[in-house]
Amino acid sequence: MSEFQQKCSLVGRDRLADDVYRLTLQAPRIAAHAQPGQFVMVRVSDGLDPLLRRPFSIHRVFANGDISLLFKIIGKGTEMLAHCCLGDELDLVGPLGNGFVLPDEGPVCLIGGGMGIAPLLFLAEQLHMTGRETGNDYVLLGARTQDELTPLDEEFAALGYTVQRATDDGSIGHKGFIPDLLDFILPEMTQVYTCGPHLMMENVVRQCRQAEVKCQVSLETHMACGIGACLGCTVNGKRGLVHVCKQGPVFKAENLEWSLE
Amino acid sequence: MRESYGEGTGCPENCNAPDLRVQIGSLVLRNPVMTASGTFGYAREFENLVDLDQLGGIIVKGISLQPKPGNPPPRIVETSCGMLNAIGLENVGVDRFISGKMPYLRKLSTPVVVNILGDSVEEYSEIARKLDGVEGVAALEVNISCPNVKKGGVAFGTVPEMAARVTEAVRQASQLPLIVKLSPNVTDIVLMAKAVEGAGADAVSLINTLIGMAIDPVSRRPKLANVIGGLSGPAIKPVALRMVWQVAQAVSLPVIGIGGITTANDALEFFLAGATAVQVGTANFYDPSSTGNIVQGLKGYLQEQGEDRLVDIIGTLKIGTD
């Protein structure tokens, strides 16, 4: 596995919703080695507060060596990142982690909630590029409101996926939660890929278990290093603690402890 | 903007580069920049990001007699200019360390120092005995200062007589150079340093983390599952510097400075205060290039100051009007 520390120039900055941003960075070495589900550690400033890098899953990779990150402002670090200007240089370490295991057979369902959508677009594009027939594949996206899903939902749809939406306020798609949509779809699926709020993923995992459908989950935790040195990013696995940065961030759902079982 | 004797000030191999070599007991380091235990894994984690052969020394994750699973999550939380951790000394245990980690480590040209920890004096002895004579182990660093374990660590690190007993026991069990890592969570760290000096230590390293805490006001819960943890990073540098200065004046052993060192300027403060070497800890997490930048920055500083050897600036802090 190759990983790099690289100063990356900001070449794109899009505000998708009030507090949701998509940054595009020139990161040729990271882009050349990235797999869907992997992440980068971003230093949001040269200063000492905030001190630690922030982990972001890789949202898109472009043939010209650019990568995109999708994030919501949730604290000081993401606030500073959102205010970066085109041409600014950000220090990145990546690509890190294990990434998704691509399916041997289909159809598959990609389920993203909130910023959990981020790694799934890279996965969807990769699946599409393998020449796979995506017509029977589903993408389920959940957010608070319509603004947070646009234009992401259209980008998935453009790749040929059947996209279904759920919003808390009902401004687009189903009013309610992602797992509500899953009952009808799940019996046709061979594998589910999910990333998002923990409660959503717990429900998805439970439904997958009942339907005997394989499920891969991508986790988010606080990390200090992202490379397996600090041992800070542990979660409860079936056989003891596991490290999200190195053994994950993608896990087979059955290898983790879930509280809704 | 921080001032720094940073990148681009180094000297190519063929010029009269300043001599950065320092000596810790019988151990000679090519430069005084080491990686602190618990922040550098077993070194391999950094192989793609750091030129491991350019480091002064590598201190690996603390090793116990039996493997330790560590504390439940969450284990880390960021604080202002620092971080709190309660990892709980998760490690593979001494046997798996020797069989699984040393084959990689001994191929490096950089001295490898093994940090050891135990729940009893006997455990420290036994680990030291197992590591004595293992090819590639250059020295031991005795951890009597981790705040994140219930047994052993705290008592050993805060009671001078206990610290001396552990040091004596390891001294008898091993021929290796012996560094004792001190805790700042004591009333008088000088007493601790003198105690381990009298018990046969070849050097002291300080400081380990300061005990701290963080609370989430919304959930009204501590942010660490362990409730309390160890504070590290630039936030603790002034405390570390003060303690290094006090200890360096009180003992004749080499003192290794640890605590919030990120830049060459940070390291220089410790050398001027009396440190013979430094360890870079938390900075490895947020800037893996910091150790290399510090080495280059030290060369640049010495050249600018017209100094040929790093050892000549150690303890040259000027105080008063002279």
Side-chain angles (χ1 to χ4, degrees):
Chain A
M1 198 74 79
S2 292
E3 56 225 20
F4 310 94
Q5 181 175 0
Q6 192 175 8
K7 296 257 191 213
C8 300
S9 184
L10 186 65
V11 294
R13 178 180 174 278
D14 300 301
R15 187 181 186 184
L16 303 189
D18 271 355
D19 49 3
V20 178
Y21 287 80
R22 182 150 62 182
L23 301 185
T24 302
L25 295 141
Q26 273 176 1
R29 283 189 292 174
I30 293 171
H33 290 83
Q35 299 296 319
Q38 290 191 293
F39 65 99
V40 291
M41 296 290 285
V42 181
R43 190 118 196 256
V44 300
S45 87
D46 291 334
L48 299 177
D49 193 16
L51 187 70
L52 302 177
R53 288 170 184 268
R54 299 291 189 264
F56 295 99
S57 51
I58 299 170
H59 174 55
R60 289 183 98 161
V61 169
F62 299 92
N64 67 354
D66 291 351
I67 66 169
S68 286
L69 310 176
L70 178 75
F71 65 95
K72 180 184 281 196
I73 295 175
I74 52 167
K76 188 167 18 179
T78 42
E79 176 88 43
M80 291 173 81
L81 203 55
H83 290 99
C84 287
C85 301
L86 294 184
D88 284 357
E89 283 203 321
L90 289 166
D91 191 316
L92 267 63
V93 173
L96 302 170
N98 61 353
F100 294 107
V101 177
L102 299 186
D104 295 327
E105 53 180 5
V108 298
C109 181
L110 280 51
I111 304 173
M115 291 303 101
I117 294 170
L120 300 183
L121 189 57
F122 185 14
L123 175 63
E125 289 183 328
Q126 191 85 355
L127 290 174
H128 182 68
M129 275 169 52
T130 59
R132 171 192 173 77
E133 177 56 56
T134 53
N136 296 321
D137 293 341
Y138 276 81
V139 174
L140 309 186
L141 303 176
R144 284 180 312 185
T145 184
Q146 178 177 3
D147 291 350
E148 291 183 3
L149 290 182
T150 309
L152 300 164
D153 53 352
E154 292 155 15
E155 290 166 352
F156 284 100
L159 296 167
Y161 294 88
T162 303
V163 178
Q164 294 198 358
R165 307 161 182 87
T167 47
D168 293 354
D169 63 2
S171 52
I172 193 168
H174 169 71
K175 182 175 186 204
F177 301 113
I178 282 282
D180 303 343
L181 301 171
L182 197 53
D183 279 340
F184 306 101
I185 297 167
L186 208 47
E188 309 300 320
M189 297 295 124
T190 59
Q191 180 136 216
V192 163
Y193 296 86
T194 184
C195 183
H198 198 75
L199 190 62
M200 180 203 87
M201 290 202 291
E202 280 189 325
N203 279 299
V204 169
V205 168
R206 185 171 54 182
Q207 285 176 275
C208 286
R209 182 158 303 179
Q210 285 163 356
E212 297 183 344
V213 173
K214 288 186 287 187
C215 181
Q216 293 180 39
V217 300
S218 177
L219 299 187
E220 182 184 34
T221 58
H222 289 293
M223 294 179 185
C225 71
I227 59 172
C230 73
L231 307 180
C233 62
T234 40
V235 295
N236 291 310
K238 273 281 182 239
R239 285 178 289 187
L241 294 168
V242 291
H243 300 118
V244 173
C245 74
K246 228 29 193 183
Q247 291 161 275
V250 179
F251 295 89
K252 289 181 181 174
E254 67 261 32
N255 291 340
L256 298 175
E257 282 285 347
W258 301 96
S259 58
L260 286 180
E261 290 170 342
Chain B
M1 188 71 187
R2 284 170 293 146
E3 277 187 43
S4 171
Y5 294 92
E7 296 161 73
T9 51
C11 185
E13 292 293 329
N14 57 358
C15 80
N16 294 320
D19 182 355
L20 295 184
R21 285 176 300 171
V22 296
Q23 192 162 350
I24 306 291
S26 59
L27 179 65
V28 176
L29 308 179
R30 67 164 74 90
N31 70 59
V33 182
M34 311 165 89
T35 57
S37 179
T39 67
F40 211 62
Y42 303 106
R44 195 167 195 167
E45 293 86 341
F46 285 86
E47 68 180 346
N48 293 324
L49 302 173
V50 174
D51 183 353
L52 300 174
D53 288 316
Q54 294 304 308
L55 294 166
I58 292 169
I59 306 188
V60 294
K61 177 86 185 139
I63 301 294
S64 50
L65 193 56
Q66 302 297 334
K68 278 183 185 286
N71 288 330
R75 292 175 167 191
I76 53 168
V77 55
E78 188 175 36
T79 58
S80 301
C81 300
M83 63 178 275
L84 281 167
N85 88 78
I87 306 299
L89 299 171
E90 176 181 341
N91 78 92
V92 298
V94 67
D95 292 332
R96 272 176 58 202
F97 171 74
I98 293 170
S99 63
K101 306 296 182 183
M102 276 313 298
Y104 175 80
L105 287 163
R106 71 170 59 101
K107 285 191 282 187
L108 304 174
S109 70
T110 302
V112 173
V113 179
V114 182
N115 182 287
I116 64 170
L117 54 103
D119 292 337
S120 65
V121 173
E122 293 70 30
E123 278 192 18
Y124 279 99
S125 301
E126 195 171 343
I127 302 165
R129 243 192 314 276
K130 281 176 180 265
L131 288 167
D132 201 36
V134 171
E135 186 194 344
V137 178
L140 299 178
E141 181 180 64
V142 183
N143 181 357
I144 56 167
S145 44
C146 181
N148 293 325
V149 287
K150 289 190 173 59
K151 288 190 291 182
V154 170
F156 292 135
T158 56
V159 180
E161 295 75 20
M162 292 290 285
R165 275 184 58 199
V166 172
T167 306
E168 276 168 14
V170 176
R171 176 78 292 163
Q172 284 170 13
S174 171
Q175 300 297 311
L176 290 164
L178 182 55
I179 304 163
V180 180
K181 185 168 180 176
L182 303 180
S183 168
N185 303 305
V186 293
T187 311
D188 186 352
I189 196 167
V190 170
L191 279 182
M192 301 301 298
K194 285 182 171 173
V196 302
E197 179 179 38
D202 293 309
V204 286
S205 55
L206 56 140
I207 57 177
N208 205 318
T209 53
L210 287 153
I211 300 172
M213 184 172 179
I215 296 171
D216 178 355
V218 176
S219 65
R220 304 188 185 192
R221 291 185 166 277
K223 288 186 176 176
L224 293 173
N226 196 52
V227 183
I228 61 170
L231 178 65
S232 65
I236 72 166
K237 197 186 80 176
V239 178
L241 192 61
R242 182 266 295 180
M243 289 184 162
V244 164
W245 179 63
Q246 288 178 325
V247 168
Q249 291 178 92
V251 300
S252 54
L253 301 176
V255 175
I256 303 170
I258 319 166
I261 298 169
T262 307
T263 65
N265 277 4
D266 295 333
L268 284 163
E269 289 190 68
F270 282 84
F271 295 126
L272 297 175
T276 298
V278 293
Q279 294 179 18
V280 176
T282 302
N284 293 314
F285 298 153
Y286 61 85
D287 186 7
S289 66
S290 57
T291 46
N293 290 342
I294 291 170
V295 172
Q296 292 306 314
L298 293 177
K299 288 180 189 169
Y301 171 83
L302 292 173
Q303 284 168 337
E304 282 176 34
Q305 295 277 318
E307 300 278 359
D308 297 327
R309 306 187 313 160
L310 182 108
V311 290
D312 293 337
I313 70 161
I314 292 171
T316 58
L317 178 70
K318 297 174 185 171
I319 291 180
T321 53
D322 57 322

